[in-house]
């Protein structure tokens, strides 16, 4: 039942097509994501990066008028299979959004949110602390865990959202431009965090910032007009792109 | 050039004239409210005392009191809120979070808008036929509360819908991305965030219910109650009905008693509305902190 | 239900990433998706929410059914034609007569009177609040209007009877104590906030660019208001009038207290009259025995009242939608 394809990959798409109503947003995407690596998805605005990312935890389904063809495999299993519970998918594959989205609750309750709704209330305080530590936020908030999370700075809020996702011990963390709403210092901290997290988690990150992509990603995928142009080791991609459209994008000629 | 200048002065004169007229019209509402309040306070002066607040109604103006009506109003609100609030909030949640985009949903929505415009006395007729007679609740507090619940339901639904709609979508998405089911996202993220708005809307709806007279006359609330209701199946009166009764009496003194009753009613409304404002401000602070 | 979740998840945890997992290879031991117990089903919750939403629909159906069944039984005794065209309304004493005209006339007379107060003043104050007033003035006038809208109608009735009537009677000594004029004025004050705030909303929806274009041509504020803003907001303003009049038609306590109980086909506001709503109150106060023709009149009159206000509300909403569309 498991692993009918190479189990070197944790997430794979097979001929993935996606339409928003009449408009085609993803065309025939075949992409393989390696476990415990950081994979960056780059490409000009509107090329479908967020759309692709949201296919990995089925967040796309929330939109009306959306149509998906092809397969997304998770450890070789069809994520969209009829026996798959979408909440379980999102429990195993976490997501961090572009803008920090703390709930207007205490810092503790924010991190405890996922465990609570999944019934993981044993050793909750430990779990919260561990998650905050992994998100490199613990030292800054340990004295005010019960203060409202909206009182944190933007960068702290984003790390809180990462901690909130980590509290479920997901296998994969999807991040959609997680630093673009942050100032450079805060963005640097989050970036550092991402590099550390890949020891434990598989990370797929969408970024507009090519330097950031170069710094954090092991693998980079370049998307253009809903198509996957090229995917490969980041260093190769940035120095010797195989496709001249990739080269054009990386050298800043469009996008 | 000269005629242009004259015309401009002329136009400016019109402009000022109308600014005065429009301003006066705006003042009209303010003045009307001031007149109304001072008139009632003047007539009530000397008639509101401990005796008035603690006595049952009486044939004699000096002995008449508001106690049973005040108790009835509080009972009525106490019974209406727990019926109307869950129903209204649940309807709003359904319409905003779960309803498919179907013609049935649209029908429900249009229906709510129209129900809000149905004269309150028509709700009274419904209450009379449905709760008093068909369901056999009689002329009880329960029948009154059920009638009032239907009456304020559209107000609660609409304000709850607005409050729910105001919760940013990113909050829902964040909850869903953590593997919450739709209902979990609504219950633990959307509802808490919408709660201040829902509470303010509910309190305003309840103020409406406190001031309503006609539907309760229809379901047969009494106007002379010399006892305190002890349960939802008891007969009752409420402040506006008591005031109506006093107003209808020919003797001049009862006009003062009625004014005193109005002051009590207005104070009760003031208390409720201040609570609504306090709740709103309290939560607003919490959200921004 | 909650239990299922816990077991499911802890199983996933055992096989999945250990809490302090070092990583390597552990992921591949994670269990396949979908072999776990489903979480608490949402269907029952959704069903309950749906049922709640149906209550308001059932209310409408209930109103229509209740009014219609008793009215049908009433119209077995009295023909619809006689009811609608008859000019004498004496159901409570012999010889009984069931012509709704006097009640209808009374209702419309008071509604008209109320409109004469509320429409010009409401419109003018809406123009002031939208086009002239400073933020500070608005911020204290609006709450005052809200309070005015929140005053219980029984209080307006009292005000009409004990304040407005005595003043009017100084001017018109022949006026009866209960009269249409006082009720109209009080009701006009009551619906004034509605006209004012709905009209103001419509005017504020007029795009700034239209105003600026007119100001750029050297128009005065009055010219901008009267030639640009009001015409552009005309349908919204009209809707506010319609909804306010509908409200006046359905209003009960002011007329029950101050307008009298004399069904009369008259246009003279100084006389005592009776409206449809006041009649319904009169019957239910008088304890008409269940099942009698007097009892059934409530439903016939109620049905007519319901249809009239419903028609106006639908019209009002339709007009409102139209103005929204214009500026989308
Ligand atoms: N909800 C939606 N409905 C319709 N079209 C959409 C929707 N979301 C995205 N699209 C379209 O799909 C295409 C891909 O959008 P997507 O958000 O994935 O781009 P992106 O690469 O993430 O862009 P950006 O860098 O600006 O975030 C775009 O052309 C966009 O207009
Ligand atoms: Mg994007």
């Amino acid at each position: 039942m498991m692993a009918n394809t190479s189990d070197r990959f944790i997430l794979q798409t097979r001929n993935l097509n996606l339409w928003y109503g009449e408009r085609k947003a993803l065309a025939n995407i075949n992409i393989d994501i390696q476990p415990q690596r950081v994979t960056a998805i780059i490409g000009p605005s509107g090329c479908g990066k967020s759309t692709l990312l949201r296919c990995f935890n089925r967040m796309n389904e929330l939109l009306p008028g959306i149509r998906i063809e092809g397969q997304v495999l998770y450890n070789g299993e069809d994520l969209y299979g009829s026996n798959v519970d979408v909440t379980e998918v999102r429990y195993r594959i976490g997501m961090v959004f572009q803008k920090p989205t703390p709930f207007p609750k205490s810092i503790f309750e924010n991190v405890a949110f996922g465990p609570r709704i999944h019934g993981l209330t044993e050793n909750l305080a430990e779990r919260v602390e561990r998650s905050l530590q992994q998100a490199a936020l613990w030292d800054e908030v340990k004295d005010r865990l019960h203060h409202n999370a909206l009182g944190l700075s933007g960068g702290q809020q984003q790390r809180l959202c990462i901690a909130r996702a980590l509290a479920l011990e997901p296998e994969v963390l999807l991040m959609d431009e997680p630093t673009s709403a942050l100032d450079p210092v805060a963005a640097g901290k989050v970036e550092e965090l991402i590099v550390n997290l890949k020891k434990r988690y598989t990370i797929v990150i969408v970024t507009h910032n090519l330097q950031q992509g170069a710094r954090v990603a092991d693998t980079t995928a370049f998307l253009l007009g809903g198509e996957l142009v090229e995917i490969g080791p980041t260093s190769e991609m940035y120095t010797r792109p195989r496709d001249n459209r990739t080269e054009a994008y990386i050298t800043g000629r469009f996008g | 050039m000269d005629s242009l200048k004259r015309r401009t002065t002329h136009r400016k004169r019109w402009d000022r004239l109308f600014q005065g007229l429009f301003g006066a019209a705006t003042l009209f509402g303010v003045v009307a409210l001031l007149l109304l309040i001072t008139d009632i306070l003047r007539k009530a002066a000397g008639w509101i005392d401990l005796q008035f607040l603690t006595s049952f109604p009486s044939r004699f103006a000096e002995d008449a009191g508001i106690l049973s009506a005040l108790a009835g109003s509080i009972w009525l609100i106490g019974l209406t809120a727990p019926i109307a609030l869950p129903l209204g909030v649940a309807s709003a949640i359904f319409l905003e979070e779960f309803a498919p985009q179907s013609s049935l949903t649209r029908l429900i929505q249009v229906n709510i808008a129209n129900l809000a415009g149905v004269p309150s006395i028509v709700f009274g007729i419904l209450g009379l036929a449905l709760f008093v007679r068909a369901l056999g609740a009689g002329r009880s507090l329960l029948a009154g509360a059920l009638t009032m619940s239907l009456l304020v339901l559209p107000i609660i639904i609409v304000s709850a819908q607005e409050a729910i709609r105001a919760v940013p979508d990113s909050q829902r998405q964040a909850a869903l991305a953590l593997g919450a089911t739709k209902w979990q996202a609504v219950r633990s993220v959307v509802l808490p965030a919408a709660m201040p708005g829902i509470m303010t809307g509910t309190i305003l709806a309840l103020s409406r219910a406190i001031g309503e007279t006609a539907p309760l006359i229809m379901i047969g609330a009494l106007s002379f109650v010399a006892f305190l209701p002890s349960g939802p199946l008891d007969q009752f009166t409420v402040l506006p009905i008591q005031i109506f009764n006093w107003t209808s009496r020919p003797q001049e003194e009862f006009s003062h008693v009625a004014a005193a009753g109005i002051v009590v009613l207005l104070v009760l409304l003031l208390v409720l509305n201040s609570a609504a404002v306090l709740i709103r401000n309290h939560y607003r602070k919490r959200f921004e902190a | 239900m909650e239990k299922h979740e816990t077991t499911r998840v802890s199983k996933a945890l055992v096989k999945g990433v250990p809490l302090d997992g070092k990583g390597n290879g552990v992921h591949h031991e994670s269990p396949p998706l979908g072999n776990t117990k489903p979480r608490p089903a949402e269907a029952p919750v959704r069903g309950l929410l749906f049922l709640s939403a149906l209550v308001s629909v059932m209310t409408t159906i209930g109103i229509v059914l209740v009014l219609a069944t008793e009215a049908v039984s009433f119209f077995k005794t009295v023909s619809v034609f006689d009811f609608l065209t008859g000019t004498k309304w004496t159901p409570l004493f012999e010889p009984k007569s069931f012509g709704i005209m006097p009640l209808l006339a009374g209702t419309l007379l008071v509604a008209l009177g109320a409109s004469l107060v509320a429409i010009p003043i409401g419109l003018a104050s809406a123009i002031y609040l939208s086009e002239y007033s400073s933020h500070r003035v608005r911020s204290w006038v609006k709450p005052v209007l809200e309070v005015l809208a929140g005053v219980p109608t029984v209080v307006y009735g009292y005000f009409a009877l004990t304040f407005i009537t005595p003043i009017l009677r100084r001017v018109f000594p022949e006026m009866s104590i209960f009269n249409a004029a006082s009720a109209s004025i009080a009701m006009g004050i009551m619906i004034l906030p509605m006209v004012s705030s709905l009209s103001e909303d419509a005017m504020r929806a007029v795009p700034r660019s239209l105003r600026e274009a007119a100001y750029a041509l050297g128009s005065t504020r009055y010219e901008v208001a009267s030639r640009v803003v009001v015409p552009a907001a005309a349908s919204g303003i009209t809707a506010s009038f319609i909804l306010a009049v509908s409200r006046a038609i359905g209003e009960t306590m002011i007329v029950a207290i101050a307008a009298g109980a004399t069904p009369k086909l008259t246009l003279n506001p100084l006389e005592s009259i009776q409206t449809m709503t006041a009649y319904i109150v009169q019957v239910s106060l008088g304890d008409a025995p269940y099942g009698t023709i007097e009892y059934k009149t409530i439903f016939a009159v109620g049905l007519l009242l319901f249809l009239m206000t419903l028609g106006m509300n639908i019209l009002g909403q339709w007009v409102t939608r139209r103005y929204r569309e214009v500026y989308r």
Side-chain angles (χ1 to χ4, degrees), chain B residues 95-151:
Chain B
L95 288 169
E96 288 302 312
E97 302 285 343
F98 288 93
Q101 287 205 334
S102 65
S103 45
L104 177 64
T105 308
R106 254 194 318 279
L107 175 86
I108 296 177
Q109 196 69 69
V110 168
N111 174 65
I112 289 167
N114 279 311
L115 213 49
V118 170
S120 59
I121 194 162
V122 173
F123 281 94
I125 297 178
L126 175 69
L128 172 65
L130 187 62
F131 302 128
V132 176
R133 300 229 189 265
L135 295 186
R139 314 186 142 196
S140 61
L141 270 167
L142 182 63
L146 287 169
T147 308
M148 279 303 167
S149 298
L150 296 186
L151 176 75

Side-chain angles (χ1 to χ4, degrees), chain A residues 1-2 7 10 35-36 74-75 77 79 83-85 87-89 91-92 117-120 127 130 169-171 199-200, chain C residues 2 5-6 8-10 12-13 17-25 27-28 30-39:
Chain A
M1 161 165 186
M2 277 181 62
D7 52 18
I10 185 166
Q36 282 153 307
Y74 168 67
N75 290 327
E77 260 191 288
L79 260 191
N83 61 339
V84 174
D85 181 352
T87 59
E88 193 187 346
V89 170
Y91 162 63
R92 305 245 205 125
I117 59 172
H118 291 280
L120 304 169
R127 187 184 276 271
R130 189 174 53 240
E169 313 261 336
E171 284 189 81
K199 291 180 204 124
R200 288 188 186 150
Chain C
E2 294 289 325
E5 260 181 67
T6 321
R8 176 182 76 74
V9 168
S10 45
L13 260 189
V17 197
L19 295 186
D20 51 355
K22 296 270 179 319
N24 293 342
H27 292 286
H28 295 268
S30 61
L33 288 164
N35 64 344
T36 51
K37 291 220 172 72
R39 18 178 70 231

Side-chain angles (χ1 to χ4, degrees), chain C residues 60-310:
Chain C
T60 307
I61 295 176
I63 288 174
V64 172
L65 279 185
V66 162
L67 291 176
T69 39
E70 296 283 351
V72 162
S73 142
F74 171 81
F75 286 124
K76 279 184 188 142
T77 321
V78 180
S79 84
V80 179
F81 184 80
D82 289 347
F83 175 72
L84 288 179
T85 59
T87 55
K88 257 185 81 188
W89 182 259
T90 55
L92 301 181
F93 46 87
E94 303 293 339
K96 288 189 196 302
S97 178
F98 300 95
I100 191 80
M101 275 303 185
L103 292 185
L104 199 56
T107 301
L108 295 180
L109 179 64
V110 175
L112 179 74
S115 313
L116 287 180
V117 175
I119 288 182
I121 298 177
L123 181 58
S125 76
I127 295 176
Y128 186 81
L129 290 173
S130 149
E131 305 301 314
Y132 288 84
S133 82
S134 65
H135 183 74
R136 230 186 63 230
V137 171
R138 258 179 64 80
S139 70
W140 66 265
V141 170
K142 294 284 282 182
V144 168
L145 290 178
E146 269 170 44
V147 171
L148 210 54
V151 171
T153 56
V154 70
V155 178
Y156 279 115
Y158 177 86
F159 186 63
L161 184 67
T162 66
F163 186 83
I164 301 177
T165 297
I167 291 180
L168 285 184
R169 266 161 55 104
R170 244 179 270 161
V171 188
F172 309 102
E174 77 281 11
M175 186 165 119
S176 42
I177 291 203
F178 301 107
N179 62 81
S182 302
S184 296
I185 293 171
M187 202 184 278
I189 297 172
M190 183 196 84
I191 60 175
L192 171 67
M194 193 172 175
V195 175
S196 169
S197 78
L198 290 179
S199 295
E200 192 203 334
D201 288 347
M203 290 181 205
R204 296 189 142 241
V206 174
R208 265 249 303 268
S209 54
L210 273 185
R211 287 187 186 85
E212 276 162 6
Y215 280 124
L217 294 174
S219 309
T220 62
R221 264 200 295 203
Y222 170 66
E223 285 159 350
V224 171
S226 64
R227 295 192 202 150
V228 177
V229 178
V230 171
S235 48
I237 294 171
T238 315
S240 82
F241 296 168
I242 297 172
L243 294 176
V245 171
S246 160
R247 182 76 193 282
I249 289 176
E251 168 40 39
T252 309
M253 293 320 292
I254 298 177
V255 284
I257 292 173
T262 335
K264 200 185 288 172
L265 203 52
T266 175
L267 282 176
N268 182 354
L270 303 183
E271 288 184 50
S272 165
I273 50 117
Q274 188 168 43
T275 67
M276 300 197 288
T277 51
Y279 169 75
I280 297 175
V281 164
Q282 186 193 8
V283 175
S284 51
L285 283 174
D287 206 30
Y290 176 69
T292 59
I293 188 84
E294 293 93 316
Y295 178 79
K296 287 173 188 163
T297 54
I298 295 181
F299 297 85
V301 175
L303 181 62
L304 183 61
L305 179 68
F306 175 70
L307 292 177
M308 283 169 65
T309 51
L310 182 68

Side-chain angles (χ1 to χ4, degrees), chain B residues 11 15 111 181 183-184 255, chain C residues 39 42 60 158 218 222-223:
Chain B
R11 282 170 53 210
D15 191 39
N111 174 65
T181 61
W183 169 240
Q184 284 174 322
S255 160
Chain C
R39 18 178 70 231
E42 299 230 304
T60 307
Y158 177 86
Y222 170 66
E223 285 159 350

